[in-house]
């Protein structure tokens, strides 16, 4: 346990340390999450319908595990080792942690893949987690008193939160990396328009992952062609 919190002398030691600490706290978090339904069942003296659970298991594996796998790979270069563990433990990655990390990298103008990026990204995600927790605690009081009024007031603007966040980031990233972002952006727009015309429009979270995959493939091809 002492080795987990010693000062890392090399980047390899730092990454190994982050992986060890991240795995421990991820397991603790999973245990706490699973503890909620277990305690509920014990208190209510009920048991899950296992036959129904087995029927829904393929959908759960297909939806959540595949999306989670893609997110873990897609977010890794942007969040860093420590930032990725922090993000997946605290949640709200696409609409909070990822934009915060990218904004911090843009402000500090750190080099992609550098030690500075790793440190700055981890700090920004940690601070955003603390600020979010404080705001939630402060917001719980009026929410408990005026729940229905607050929900009705924010309902009209809630669908535009993620587009507003990523819209601002898009402008900054396109201005900085036009060759890498213009074509993927156009492709994503076409996919969104076509799927909506066909009546099966993809939601915001799915489009974020689709955009990441398209951007990754396009950047790799452009790199191989020595265009970037």
């Amino acid at each position: 346990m002492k080795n987990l919190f010693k000062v890392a002398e090399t980047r390899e030691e730092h990454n190994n340390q982050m992986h060890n600490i991240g795995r421990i706290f991820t397991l603790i978090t999973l245990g706490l999450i699973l503890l909620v339904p277990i305690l509920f069942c014990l208190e209510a003296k009920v048991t899950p319908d296992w036959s129904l659970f087995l029927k829904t298991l393929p959908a759960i594996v297909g939806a959540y595990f595949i999306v989670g796998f893609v997110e873990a790979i897609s977010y890794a270069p942007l969040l860093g080792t420590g930032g990725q563990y922090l993000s997946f433990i605290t949640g709200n990655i696409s609409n909070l942690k990822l934009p915060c990390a990218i904004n911090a990298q843009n402000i500090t103008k750190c080099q992609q893949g550098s030690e500075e990026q790793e440190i700055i990204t981890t700090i920004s995600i940690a601070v955003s987690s603390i600020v979010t927790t404080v705001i939630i605690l402060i917001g719980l009081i009026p929410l408990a008193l005026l729940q229905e009024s607050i929900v009705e007031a924010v309902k009209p603007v809630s669908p535009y939160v993620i587009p507003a966040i990523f819209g601002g980031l898009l402008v900054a990233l396109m201005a900085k990396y036009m060759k890498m972002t213009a074509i993927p952006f156009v492709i994503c727009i076409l996919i969104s328009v076509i799927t909506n015309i066909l009546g099966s429009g993809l939601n915001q979270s799915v489009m974020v992952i689709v955009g990441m995959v398209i951007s990754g493939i396009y950047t790799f091809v452009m790199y191989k062609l020595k265009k970037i």
Side-chain angles (χ1 to χ4, degrees), residues 10-87:
T10 64
R11 185 166 187 180
E12 184 179 359
E13 287 184 3
H14 169 79
N15 286 334
N16 290 334
Q17 192 178 56
M18 289 297 100
H19 281 303
N20 291 331
I21 296 174
R23 287 164 184 160
I24 291 173
F25 281 95
T26 298
L27 291 174
I28 293 173
T29 304
L30 289 174
L32 293 174
I33 292 172
L34 293 174
L35 195 61
V36 174
I38 291 174
L39 291 177
F40 176 83
C41 291
L42 292 175
E43 179 65 23
K45 296 180 180 179
V46 295
T47 56
D49 187 340
W50 295 110
S51 60
L52 183 62
F53 173 76
L54 292 174
K55 290 180 181 179
T56 59
L57 191 60
I60 294 173
V61 173
Y64 291 99
F65 280 75
I66 293 176
V67 170
F69 178 75
V70 173
E71 285 185 345
I73 296 176
S74 302
Y75 293 152
L78 296 170
L79 299 177
T81 307
Q84 188 163 13
Y85 281 110
L86 271 175
S87 298

